[in-house]
Amino acid sequence: MSLPKVNAVVVGSGAGGAVAAKCLSAAGLRVVLLERGPQVNAGQATHDILHSQYDTSGELGCGPALAANPRTYRLTPEQRARRIYPNQGGYGRTAACTGGGTPPYGCMAWRFAEKDFRLKSLYGVPAGTTVEDWPISYQDLEPYYTQAEYEIGISGRAGANPFEAPRSQPYPLPPLPYDRGGRVFARGARALGLHPFPLPLAILSRPYDGRPACIHCNACERFLCEVNAKSAMHATLIPKALATGLCELRTGCMARELRVDARGRARAVAYHGPDGQLQEQPADLVIVACSATETCRLLLNSKSKLFPEGLANRQGQVGRHIMDHTGGAGLPGFFAQPIYQPSGPGFTAAVADFVHARGAPLNGSMIATMAELRQPLAFAENCGGRFGTHPWGLRAKQFVRHYFRRTVGLYAPGIGLPTENNRVDLDPEVRDAWGIPVLRVTHRAHPLEVRSSYFFRNRMIEILRAAGAIEALLPRPASEAEIERAASHIRWGGLGEHQVGGCRMGRDPKTSVLNANCQAHEVENLFVADGSSFPSIGGFNPSLTIQANAYRVSAYIAREWRGGAFRT
Amino acid sequence: MPDTGITRRKFIGLLGAAGMPRSARRRGARAGTAKQKAAPGYQALTAEQVSTLTAFAEQMIPADADAGAREAGVGHYIDHILAGAQRSKLPRYAAGLAALDQTARSLHGRKFAQCTFQQQTALCQALEQGRAPGAAWRKISGQRFFTLAWRHVLEGYYGAPANGGNAGYASWHMTGFLPPRRRRAVKR
C-alpha cells in the first residue's frame, strides 16, 4: 500500500535520525520518522538490572528483541559464520526504541580531537588497515558541536580538559560533581602528573529546557532515566520535532528496503508496520540513520535493476571500513576503604592525556571511571574469579561481599581501525522475523587494537596503583613480549555499541559511499545521518559527534532544499 | 507502545507467527509440561529437578552469615524464567540436571543433591572444566550447561527480588548496594 508522499523520510530515531527529523521539520519540510522499536518514556524506567540494557540471559530492556533479530558472526572471511543474538558479544547492537541507543546510553558527550579527523595524514596507513582522513575538519564541525551541546543539553566545564580542541562557546551547564570513585581516580591520576577533569555528560546538572536536573539515582548507564535528566533523543529532540507539527513519528516500523525510480533516485521507503503489513512511504528525500550496522543492511537489501548489489553500492563500498572500539579495556581496582555510594551516575571523571600522545598507539583514547561494576550482578559476574574460571563458591561470595563497596572501575575505549577484511554484508541464509536477510559481521581486532588494549590496561594499572588500590589484587602489567604474542594470535573481535563506518564519507566515489555532505555519491536524494559515515572512530564515545554531524548534514539539506525534488 | 496500544512483548509475539520465536516456544512448552508434573509452588521444574538445581545453586553461592542461593529463592527465579521468557531453555535444564544426577550416581551411588557438599563441589569443578565423566554429557556439553546455570544462579541471587529470587533483598543488603538499614530511631 502506498501512502501520501512527504518531503523526507528519516529512517531511525537515534542520535543521528532524531537530529535530522528535528532540523528538517523545523526548516519546513514534511517529515516521517520511522523507528523499528516501540516508544519509550520515563514512566517505563526501572532500577532492575534484569530488565535493563545489560547483557543478561533475558530480553534487553530497550531491545532489540533477541529471537526476532539474529545476525551471524565470523572472525575472518574464510570462516563459516555462526548465528548470534543481540545479547551476545560481537553482535554490534544498538537499542531499538525511540531515541535509538540514547535512552539507555551512558551519556558521555565528547567532542573528537582535532587530529582525529586527519589520521591518515598524521600516521599513514598501518598495514592491513584502510585508515583515511575525513573530508571535513574539526573546524567545519565545531559550530555544530556547539549547537548540539546547547540544543541537547550537555554538562561540562570548558577548559577543564587541557587537551580539548578549541571551542567557540562554554558548555551550557556546569559539570556533575565528582563522586567518591571520581575523587579516588583523580587523586591517582594527579599523582602521575596527568590532568583529570569532570566528564562531559548528556545529563543535566541543573534544570534546563523544561527538564529537571539529575536526581543522582543509582540506575543510569543501561537504564532509562526516570526523570528525563538524561538528554536522550526521546526526551529532547523527538518531542521538538513533533512540536513543529510537520513531523510524524511511526514506531514499530521495520524498514525493509529503499525503492528507486527509473532514474535511480530514491523514491520511497518500504517498511513493515506494527501489524507486519508492508507499506510504502514515498518521499522527495530519504535520510538513513539506523546505526552503522543497520544502515548498511538497509542499503544492501535495497536491490534493484540499477543497483543490483544494493543502493549506492556500485563500487562495493557499503559495509566496508566498519569499526568499533575493539581496543577497549576495562579494569577494576580494589581498595581497603569503602568507596561505593548509592548515588549515580557512577562515572564522573576522566583523563585525556593519552589522546594522540605519550606512546599510545595511533590516536589513543581517554580513560574514564565507569558504572558497570556498581551493580551487584555485574560485579559478581566479572570480579572474584580466578582467570579462566567462573566466580563461584564461598570465596567468590566473600569477595563480592567485601569488595563490592571498595571498587573503582576504569574504562578506556581504546582505538578502533577499519581493516581490509572487516565488514558487514548480507548473510546468504539467515533471515529475521520479518523475513529480511540479516547481517553477517566479519570482524577481527587489528594488532594495533590489541596493542592499544594492553597499553591502556597498563596505564589503568598505574593510575589505580597511584590511587592506592590493593597491590596484590591488581594484575601485573603486560610485558612487551606478552603484548607481542597476543598481537600475533588474535582470536577476538566483533562490533559493539560504538559502531561507526560502513558508509564512509570521502571525496573519491571509488573508495567512499558518501560525499562530504553525507549525500550518496550515486543517489542524489539519499543522505546518511548516523555514525556509518565516519572514516575513523576517535578515542571517545561517538554519540555527540554523530549528533553534531547530523546537525551539519541537516543544515546542508535545509539550505539546498528548493521544495519538491532535491537538486545538488 | 502507547500510540498503537500493543505492548512490546505482544509485538514480538505477532512477529513470531512469521518466524522462529514461536517454534522455539512450542518446543519448550512440550518438554516442560507434557510428561512430568511441576513441583508444588513451581511452574516448570519437577520436584526432582528442583532438588538437583537448588543443590547446584547452593554450590555456586553457599550460605554463611548471609543467605545462600537456596534460601534466597534462586530456584524460584530459574523456574520463573523457564516457565516464561526463557522457556526455550527448559529442555537444556532437563538434560543437564538429569546428567548431573546420573554422573553423581555413577561416582557416589547417590543423586547429586544427596552427595556430600565436598563431593558436589568436586563435581561442579569437573563440570566447569569440561571433564565431568559419564555418557549423559554426550547429549549436552557440561561446560555449556554449567555456564548457563551459573549465570542464572547469579541473576536470581543478585537481581531484583521482583524476579523471584534475592528473597528479602539478601544480596543487596549483603553488598551494601542498598543504603544500610536504619538501626536507631531518628534523634530528636
Side-chain angles (χ1 to χ4, degrees), chain A residues 200-532:
Chain A
L201 292 170
I203 302 174
L204 302 184
S205 55
R206 305 236 175 103
Y208 187 76
D209 203 17
R211 293 183 290 126
C214 175
I215 58 168
H216 298 282
C217 84
N218 208 6
C220 195
E221 185 181 1
R222 297 181 194 268
F223 292 87
L224 280 172
C225 180
E226 63 193 272
V227 297
N228 282 340
K230 280 169 78 167
S231 300
M233 294 296 99
H234 71 292
T236 53
L237 297 185
I238 293 175
K240 284 189 178 155
L242 300 181
T244 62
L246 290 174
C247 177
E248 184 194 342
L249 170 66
R250 293 187 197 147
T251 57
C253 294
M254 181 68 180
R256 186 184 185 98
E257 61 174 335
L258 309 183
R259 291 180 177 161
V260 294
D261 62 17
R263 289 156 53 210
R265 295 156 45 99
R267 177 176 64 78
V269 179
Y271 69 91
H272 294 277
D275 56 0
Q277 288 295 313
L278 199 61
Q279 311 271 353
E280 189 182 271
Q281 177 59 63
D284 296 317
L285 292 175
V286 177
I287 292 109
V288 184
C290 311
S291 78
T293 45
E294 288 292 297
T295 288
C296 292
R297 181 183 172 210
L298 181 57
L299 296 185
L300 292 171
N301 272 318
S302 303
K303 291 176 176 161
S304 58
K305 215 178 267 176
L306 288 167
F307 297 97
E309 297 303 316
L311 195 56
N313 193 34
R314 286 191 185 126
Q315 301 293 335
Q317 289 291 305
V318 173
R320 294 194 179 272
H321 319 297
I322 199 160
M323 66 202 119
D324 204 314
H325 283 130
T326 322
L331 192 71
F334 305 107
F335 291 76
Q337 77 277 18
I339 292 166
Y340 173 79
Q341 57 192 98
S343 69
F347 37 92
T348 54
V351 294
D353 295 66
F354 302 104
V355 175
H356 293 280
R358 293 221 197 191
L362 253 72
N363 49 304
S365 79
M366 59 84 178
I367 302 174
T369 59
M370 68 172 179
E372 189 95 13
L373 301 175
R374 293 164 48 89
Q375 287 283 335
L377 176 60
F379 187 92
E381 276 186 334
N382 289 293
C383 301
R386 287 162 295 129
F387 180 74
T389 61
H390 303 283
W392 61 276
L394 200 55
R395 285 184 62 185
K397 183 187 184 188
Q398 287 164 343
F399 193 92
V400 174
R401 176 165 49 212
H402 187 73
Y403 284 109
F404 175 76
R405 280 178 299 157
R406 295 173 170 82
T407 299
V408 175
L410 301 189
Y411 150 78
I415 64 169
L417 294 170
T419 75
E420 284 157 5
N421 286 337
N422 290 350
R423 66 184 292 195
V424 292
D425 59 1
L426 298 178
D427 191 273
E429 290 154 27
V430 182
R431 286 165 185 253
D432 66 10
W434 293 265
I436 309 171
V438 305
L439 277 186
R440 174 170 63 183
V441 178
T442 306
H443 193 280
R444 178 158 78 162
H446 186 270
L448 274 172
E449 297 177 341
V450 176
R451 290 187 164 278
S452 164
S453 155
Y454 279 97
F455 176 87
F456 281 101
R457 186 180 159 87
N458 287 354
R459 301 293 84 73
M460 288 188 269
I461 293 171
E462 289 162 9
I463 293 173
L464 289 167
R465 183 184 290 138
I470 297 168
E471 184 68 38
L473 295 173
L474 277 176
R476 198 173 41 78
S479 68
E480 191 49 43
E482 282 171 279
I483 298 174
E484 189 58 48
R485 209 175 315 130
S488 59
H489 292 92
I490 303 168
R491 293 255 178 75
W492 48 276
L495 299 171
E497 286 155 337
H498 294 182
Q499 56 186 272
V500 297
C503 296
R504 174 185 269 182
M505 62 168 124
R507 294 198 182 86
D508 183 357
K510 288 208 174 64
T511 58
S512 57
V513 177
L514 310 168
N515 66 21
N517 294 312
C518 292
Q519 178 182 28
H521 289 300
E522 299 168 12
V523 188
E524 67 189 56
N525 63 343
L526 173 66
F527 289 82
V528 172
D530 60 20
S532 55

Side-chain angles (χ1 to χ4, degrees), chain A residues 55 57 381 390 393 397 401, chain B residues 60 64 66 128 151 155:
Chain A
D55 300 311
S57 63
E381 276 186 334
H390 303 283
K397 183 187 184 188
R401 176 165 49 212
Chain B
M60 299 299 103
D64 56 0
D66 289 293
E128 181 186 22
R151 191 140 198 226
E155 288 178 3

Side-chain angles (χ1 to χ4, degrees), chain A residues 65-123:
Chain A
L66 303 184
N69 293 282
R71 279 180 187 165
T72 62
Y73 172 76
R74 57 186 183 176
L75 210 52
T76 58
E78 300 78 44
Q79 288 182 344
R80 207 182 134 75
R82 64 186 163 79
R83 193 187 282 251
I84 55 169
Y85 294 95
N87 64 344
Q88 291 177 290
Y91 178 92
R93 69 156 188 264
T94 51
C97 58
T98 50
T102 64
Y105 83 144
C107 294
M108 287 197 199
W110 296 95
R111 292 179 175 212
F112 279 8
E114 280 181 292
K115 290 179 176 175
D116 285 338
F117 297 84
R118 294 185 288 128
L119 274 199
K120 185 180 175 183
S121 303
L122 288 164
Y123 304 103

Side-chain angles (χ1 to χ4, degrees), chain B residues 2 4 7 9 21-22 37 52 79 85 90 98 106-107 136 144 146 150 161 167-168 175 181 188:
Chain B
T4 58
T7 66
R9 216 155 270 290
R22 200 166 120 203
K37 217 170 137 233
T52 310
D79 178 67
L90 187 56
S106 70
L107 288 177
R144 276 204 203 143
F146 180 95
W150 165 78
T175 51
R181 273 177 218 173
R188 292 173 196 258

